[in-house]
Amino acid sequence: MPAQAADIPGTDQIVMSPNVQHVTNVPKPASIAATINTDIAFQGDYAYVGNYGGFSIYDIKNPKKASVVSSVVCPGSQMDVSVYGNLLFASVDSSRNNDSCSSTPQPASVKESWEGIRIFDVSDKANPKYIKSVETDCGSHTHTLVPDKRHGNVYLYVSSYSPSAAFPDCQPPHDKISIVKVPLWNPTAASVVATPVVFPDGGNETQPNLLLKTSGCHDITVYAEKGIAAGACMGDGVLFDIRNPEAPRVTARVTDPNFAFWHSATFNNEGTKVVFTDELGGGGEATCNEATGPTHGADAIFDIVRGQLVFKNYYKIPRYQADSENCVAHNGSLIPVKGRDIMVQAWYQGGASIWDFTDSAHPREIGYFERGPASEGFGGFWSAYYYNGYIYASDFNKGLDVIKINDRLTDSAKKVKVDRLNTQTQASYRERWGGGWFWGDEDE
């Protein structure tokens, strides 16, 4: 039924399903309070939260008492983050006059402008140090960490787009990604080692109602131990063979007339399904309403059958949002439940949805958390991820929310422990010999 005015929570009012608990909220540090929070990475007892103005490190050893350890002011959207060992990697997709943390905006039409990857040493959580930058063509909207433990490296698959003939370092057609190699024994030697072309014959450019024509990818999720990756590439969804991490190879490609912008991807634990998201409106529009309907701005669930993507159904939150609320499918992660496919996902002002896609053709929501229309007028959850028994969600304006689900369908996930989580770097969980559960090592 259409949402009635009485069904919409009040301004900033928290509502949630009976099986969801709001544990705490930690406001943004004052130094970056004026800019919005973005993505999250985890390692040990710490969460690393990106922000258009830099990033913050949170101590989450006791999630009920989560607190800010430090905040680094280093502007440059989007500051998509990942962590590995003592290193934090951050994406910059806004043209700057140089690579420093004191840089200012400068048009990409100026050859000397910089955008790309920043690398920080976070061994001292209270005093992170900026140690290296790597410039990449068209910047770095997002990046995905690909471990190569055997050779002592990590790779970063850098996604970027929107080329222009007026931009010296971002020339069309730009149907490629950039691969940065980081030697762990000498991270300051990081450099671009390959720029493989994903769409040698051009991507999806003619489909009506695309937000942007395909030119590179928006985000890539890798499942390194299975040698595969899924790319959300604006007008296209693709599968890669990444057994050679410096030479990913496209093995399947699909389009969808209901998708305006292929935004991100999540594999199930078996690597037999992919959930792609459609960021209709670019995250700035109200698309979780009756007018938009259930098949636009939604997730699309695909089974992987003989190496090809087979569409099964869409999933969209079943709660209509106000026409003032920016809401669309965004970043989420698996909840590690044996024998089921369950994930939590951010929907901007639609909050966090916990949903089950074990039956690919019949997905259903099993829990949720959201606020009423934001007092700031624009906001909501950028990312919502499950980590060691809790859900952590980065709110544009309100900081870091810690949430917990208590449900028979997900309670077994509380046994799963992981030392690191970069959500776009998936690893399997499986039964430990002798009982219990744990994540597979993402270094495999």
Side-chain angles (χ1 to χ4, degrees), residues 294-310:
T295 62
H296 293 74
D299 297 321
I301 305 160
F302 289 83
D303 285 354
I304 302 174
V305 181
R306 293 185 291 277
Q308 299 302 303
L309 293 164
V310 178

Side-chain angles (χ1 to χ4, degrees), residues 11-12 23 32 103 107 111 131 205 225 252 315-316 346 420:
T11 301
D12 291 337
V23 176
I32 52 174
S103 65
K111 171 63 179 174
I131 61 171
E205 299 179 352
E225 68 192 76
Y315 170 76
K316 194 169 183 179
R420 178 175 56 251

Side-chain angles (χ1 to χ4, degrees), residues 223-226 268-270 334-340 412-413 415-418 426-444:
Y223 205 150
E225 68 192 76
K226 295 184 181 295
N268 68 336
N269 184 57
E270 287 74 23
L334 288 183
I335 296 179
V337 178
K338 181 181 180 180
R340 302 198 71 86
S412 64
K415 300 177 183 178
V416 177
K417 302 299 179 183
V418 57
Q426 286 193 231
S428 67
Y429 57 92
R430 55 192 180 270
E431 194 165 3
R432 185 199 298 267
W433 182 74
W437 284 86
F438 75 116
W439 277 110
D441 186 354
E442 69 179 31
D443 296 339
E444 292 181 359

Side-chain angles (χ1 to χ4, degrees), residues 159-439:
S159 297
S160 55
Y161 53 93
S162 293
S164 169
F167 299 161
D169 297 321
C170 185
Q171 292 286 298
H174 191 73
D175 289 323
K176 62 184 181 181
I177 62 174
S178 296
I179 300 179
V180 175
K181 182 178 181 180
V182 184
L184 294 173
W185 68 93
N186 183 17
T188 58
S191 64
V192 175
V193 294
T195 54
V197 176
V198 180
F199 304 100
D201 299 321
N204 185 1
E205 299 179 352
T206 60
Q207 179 181 311
N209 301 317
L210 285 178
L211 181 66
L212 289 173
K213 299 176 181 179
T214 300
S215 59
C217 293
H218 176 273
D219 209 346
I220 295 171
T221 294
V222 301
Y223 205 150
E225 68 192 76
K226 295 184 181 295
I228 57 176
C233 303
M234 297 176 292
D236 296 82
V238 300
L239 289 179
F240 296 94
D241 179 331
I242 61 164
R243 286 175 292 181
N244 179 349
E246 293 189 16
R249 180 175 59 88
V250 175
T251 58
R253 175 180 166 191
V254 68
T255 61
D256 186 324
N258 289 329
F259 262 42
F261 190 83
W262 295 68
H263 175 273
S264 53
T266 303
F267 289 103
N268 68 336
N269 184 57
E270 287 74 23
T272 57
K273 302 177 185 178
V274 185
V275 174
F276 286 103
T277 67
D278 174 22
E279 194 185 37
L280 174 66
E285 297 180 6
T287 70
C288 299
N289 52 16
E290 183 184 18
T292 303
T295 62
H296 293 74
D299 297 321
I301 305 160
F302 289 83
D303 285 354
I304 302 174
V305 181
R306 293 185 291 277
Q308 299 302 303
L309 293 164
V310 178
F311 174 76
K312 302 302 290 187
N313 206 348
Y314 298 104
Y315 170 76
K316 194 169 183 179
I317 55 174
R319 294 158 284 107
Y320 284 141
Q321 305 296 297
D323 289 338
S324 63
E325 294 181 274
N326 58 298
C327 176
V328 75
H330 215 242
N331 295 341
S333 74
L334 288 183
I335 296 179
V337 178
K338 181 181 180 180
R340 302 198 71 86
D341 301 324
I342 299 176
M343 67 181 292
V344 59
Q345 184 178 5
W347 290 77
Y348 290 128
Q349 288 199 63
S353 176
I354 300 149
W355 61 287
D356 188 330
F357 62 102
T358 306
D359 181 345
S360 303
H362 299 95
R364 63 189 183 95
E365 183 174 78
I366 61 174
Y368 69 89
F369 174 99
E370 67 166 293
R371 290 183 172 91
S375 54
E376 300 86 359
F378 181 78
F381 286 163
W382 182 286
S383 300
Y385 300 143
Y386 185 93
Y387 181 73
N388 290 351
Y390 292 82
I391 293 166
Y392 297 85
S394 57
D395 187 285
F396 281 41
N397 305 304
K398 294 175 173 57
L400 181 68
D401 280 295
V402 184
I403 303 163
K404 193 171 186 179
I405 180 167
N406 298 292
D407 191 284
R408 62 179 181 80
L409 287 176
T410 60
D411 283 347
S412 64
K414 297 174 184 177
K415 300 177 183 178
V416 177
K417 302 299 179 183
V418 57
D419 294 328
R420 178 175 56 251
L421 179 65
N422 298 303
T423 301
Q424 285 74 38
T425 307
Q426 286 193 231
S428 67
Y429 57 92
R430 55 192 180 270
E431 194 165 3
R432 185 199 298 267
W433 182 74
W437 284 86
F438 75 116
W439 277 110

